[in-house]
Structure formats: C-alpha cells, structure tokens
C-alpha cells in the first residue's frame, strides 16, 4: 500500500526535535513531504538541518511564514507571505532531493467528494504532466490550521499551486500518546491516503 506521509510545521521550533525526527526517518528509509513554516528557521542549526533534510531526499512544500490561519490576510498580504515562504522552500529544496513528481503529486492529492482515491491519483498525474510544460516543479501549499477562503484559493490558482489537505490525521498536538497515533493512522490509511502529523 502506497501512502504519502506529510509532516506539518517543519522544521520543529526546537531544532533538537527536528534532528531526532530526521534520524528516525533515515533509520527506517522513509521519505516524507515537509510542509515548511519559514518563520521556524531561526538558527544556524535549523538551516543546517534543512540542508540535511533535502540531501536525505525529503520534499519541501509551502505552509506559510507562521503557524496562524491565513484567512484574515488581504489578497496582497497573503500573496506576499506565500512568496516569502516559497523563496525559502526553493532555497533548500536541492535538485537532487526532488522525488518523482508523478508519484509525489498522486500521493498528495486531496480526496474529492464522490470519487475513488485511485481516480484522484490518475487525475492528478494527468494534471501534473500538463503543468510541467509550463513549470517543471510541482508547487504544493497546505493552509495553516486547514483554513482556506476564496481569496486564498484565487491566489493559489493564479500562482499554480496545488492546495493539499489530508484524509488521515490523529490530532497529534493535543494527544501525548505515540502508540495511539500510530494505531489510529494505520487504521485510517488506505491506498493513496495522505497522512498528516506535526513536527513538534
């Protein structure tokens, strides 16, 4: 079964936690998509770990500059912060770290109402091939707090982003029980699922 493991709020505010996370992923040969909050990259250690994550083959995507809902921003404010975070993402996403975009885009597609996940994956692959003619890089965005409005959607469409949510999330910031989260995500996962955990 193939699923996409996505990790929000990366890198962890505590650089030591992020280092431990990267060590675990490397130990088990797991590649993930990190949704980056650029405002978390505050120290030289954070910057070094971002380079390490890229060299380890992980994929970076846009999660804005701060971990707060973006629905209150004006169009210009949202576009500016989106571009600010993307600049950081592009800085660290080394070309040799980019995964196969067909697989990545297929795994990250949101489940559309009334459609099988397998159909969603095929749709996304077709969409990705078309977009690559204009932009070879597939740009992903996940709205902070999973809140998105029409203004945000309009900007994302203009800048050719794919907005990504998830269909398996265990509320990990609120529940301090690793075994519960592992069991819950395992039970929820289906072929093509997007699993969401946080890096803190």
């Amino acid at each position: 079964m193939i699923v996409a493991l996505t990790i929000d709020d990366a890198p962890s505010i505590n650089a030591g936690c992020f280092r431990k996370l990267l060590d675990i992923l490397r130990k088990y040969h797991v590649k993930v998509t990190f949704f980056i909050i650029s405002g978390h990259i505050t120290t030289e250690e954070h910057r070094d770990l971002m380079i390490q994550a890229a060299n380890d083959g992980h994929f970076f995507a846009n999660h804005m500059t701060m971990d707060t809902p973006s629905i209150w921003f004006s169009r210009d404010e949202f576009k500016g912060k989106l571009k600010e975070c993307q600049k950081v993402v592009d800085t660290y996403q080394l070309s040799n770290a980019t995964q196969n975009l067909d697989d990545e885009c297929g795994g990250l597609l949101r489940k559309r109402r009334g459609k099988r996940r397998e159909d969603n994956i095929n749709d996304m692959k077709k969409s990705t091939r078309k977009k690559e003619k204009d932009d070879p890089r597939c740009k992903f965005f996940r709205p902070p707090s999973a809140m998105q409005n029409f203004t945000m959607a309009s900007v994302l469409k203009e800048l050719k982003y794919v907005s990504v949510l998830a269909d398996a999330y265990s509320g990990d910031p609120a529940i301090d029980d690793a075994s519960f989260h592992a069991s819950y995500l395992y039970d929820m996962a289906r072929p093509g699922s997007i699993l969401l955990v946080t890096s803190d």
Side-chain angles (χ1 to χ4, degrees):
M1 178 170 68
I2 297 176
V3 301
L5 177 57
T6 66
I7 301 181
D8 275 10
D9 306 341
S12 311
I13 294 175
N14 183 327
C17 289
F18 193 55
R19 184 180 298 280
K20 290 179 181 177
L21 174 58
L22 292 179
D23 289 344
I24 291 170
L25 294 172
R26 190 181 306 111
K27 177 181 178 180
Y28 291 101
H29 307 287
V30 175
K31 307 299 183 189
V32 306
T33 296
F34 285 113
F35 280 86
I36 303 298
I37 293 180
S38 59
H40 285 184
I41 307 172
T42 57
T43 68
E44 193 63 34
E45 184 176 10
H46 281 102
R47 289 185 277 276
D48 288 344
L49 290 171
M50 287 291 292
I51 293 170
Q52 178 184 321
N55 287 332
D56 285 348
H58 300 298
F59 189 83
F60 298 153
N62 195 319
H63 201 35
M64 290 295 282
T65 58
M66 62 188 76
D67 188 20
T68 56
S70 301
I71 58 174
W72 312 115
F73 294 142
S74 69
R75 182 184 180 85
D76 287 343
E77 287 173 329
F78 174 67
K79 182 185 287 189
K81 292 182 183 296
L82 181 72
K83 288 183 174 181
E84 180 181 343
C85 182
Q86 190 63 46
K87 184 177 180 180
V88 173
V89 167
D90 291 342
T91 297
Y92 290 103
Q93 186 69 80
L94 305 180
S95 60
N96 65 343
T98 304
Q99 301 175 23
N100 183 295
L101 289 180
D102 262 358
D103 292 339
E104 189 67 32
C105 290
L108 285 174
L109 181 65
R110 284 186 298 170
K111 183 176 69 173
R112 295 175 187 161
R113 185 175 301 174
K115 296 193 71 175
R116 296 183 307 126
R117 293 178 189 176
E118 292 82 358
D119 293 336
N120 287 329
I121 291 173
N122 290 332
D123 289 349
M124 182 55 136
K125 287 182 177 179
K126 293 175 184 177
S127 175
T128 301
R129 293 189 188 102
K130 181 177 183 298
K131 288 181 179 180
E132 285 180 355
K133 293 179 181 178
D134 302 317
D135 184 352
R137 204 166 31 81
C138 200
K139 295 189 295 186
F140 296 110
F141 171 76
R142 176 170 285 158
S145 304
M147 299 173 69
Q148 181 172 305
N149 59 20
F150 288 111
T151 299
M152 294 167 63
S154 174
V155 171
L156 294 169
K157 181 177 180 180
E158 174 189 339
L159 298 180
K160 298 181 172 60
Y161 278 84
V162 176
S163 186
V164 180
L165 295 179
D167 63 300
Y169 174 58
S170 58
D172 53 333
I175 304 173
D176 187 16
D177 185 343
S179 61
F180 164 79
H181 296 296
S183 176
Y184 183 88
L185 291 172
Y186 181 83
D187 289 342
M188 289 291 293
R190 301 290 184 273
S193 280
I194 304 170
L195 281 59
L196 188 162
V197 298
T198 58
S199 64
D200 290 333

